[in-house]
């Protein structure tokens, strides 16, 4: 059986406070891509936070759980990992 797959974007910052500030801007209509480009510390920021396609189990546990259990096309988080605080937007999921 094939592993579940997903495509997602994320914004990663060092503090929960900053993640919540960005989330508020997103909830008021700011573009996820623009916020990723401006705030995310991940190299994926240059692509609007796009992480491309990945399989279940490829990412750290808390990130993986959010991606494979949360709703599509809604901003999830902040999700804490050892790398920081993520805001995640899952754009596709399939198996």
């Amino acid at each position: 059986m094939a592993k579940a797959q997903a495509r997602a974007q994320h914004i990663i910052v060092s503090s929960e406070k900053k993640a919540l500030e960005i989330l508020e801007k997103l909830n008021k209509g700011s573009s996820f891509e623009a916020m990723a480009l401006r705030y995310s510390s991940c190299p994926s920021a240059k692509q609007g936070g796009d992480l491309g396609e990945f399989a279940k189990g490829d990412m750290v546990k808390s990130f993986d759980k959010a991606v494979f259990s949360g709703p599509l096309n809604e901003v999830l988080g902040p999700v804490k990992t050892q790398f920081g605080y993520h805001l995640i937007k899952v754009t596709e999921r399939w198996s």
Side-chain angles (χ1 to χ4, degrees), residues 8-27 31-32 35-36 39-40 42 44 48-51 63 66-67 74-81 84-90:
Q9 298 167 274
H10 81 143
I11 298 169
I12 184 169
V13 293
S14 59
S15 75
E16 186 175 25
K17 183 176 185 275
K18 188 56 152 176
L20 291 169
E21 287 171 11
I22 297 165
L23 182 59
E24 193 175 318
K25 290 178 183 188
L26 291 168
N27 289 337
S31 135
F32 196 94
M35 293 291 100
Y39 295 108
S40 185
C42 181
S44 69
D50 190 358
L51 294 168
F63 189 96
V67 167
E74 287 182 25
V75 180
L76 311 172
V79 174
K80 186 180 190 312
T81 70
Y85 292 85
H86 305 259
L87 296 173
I88 307 164
K89 184 176 177 183
V90 183

Side-chain angles (χ1 to χ4, degrees), residues 27-87:
N27 289 337
K28 289 181 178 172
S30 291
S31 135
F32 196 94
E33 293 77 8
M35 293 291 100
L37 195 57
R38 183 166 176 192
Y39 295 108
S40 185
S41 62
C42 181
S44 69
K46 293 181 185 72
Q47 290 81 43
D50 190 358
L51 294 168
E53 298 173 5
F54 52 90
K56 189 170 188 168
D58 284 356
M59 301 294 185
V60 294
K61 198 170 186 175
S62 55
F63 189 96
D64 207 60
K65 184 178 180 197
V67 167
F68 288 97
S69 64
L72 287 175
N73 298 307
E74 287 182 25
V75 180
L76 311 172
V79 174
K80 186 180 190 312
T81 70
Q82 69 263 43
F83 304 108
Y85 292 85
H86 305 259
L87 296 173

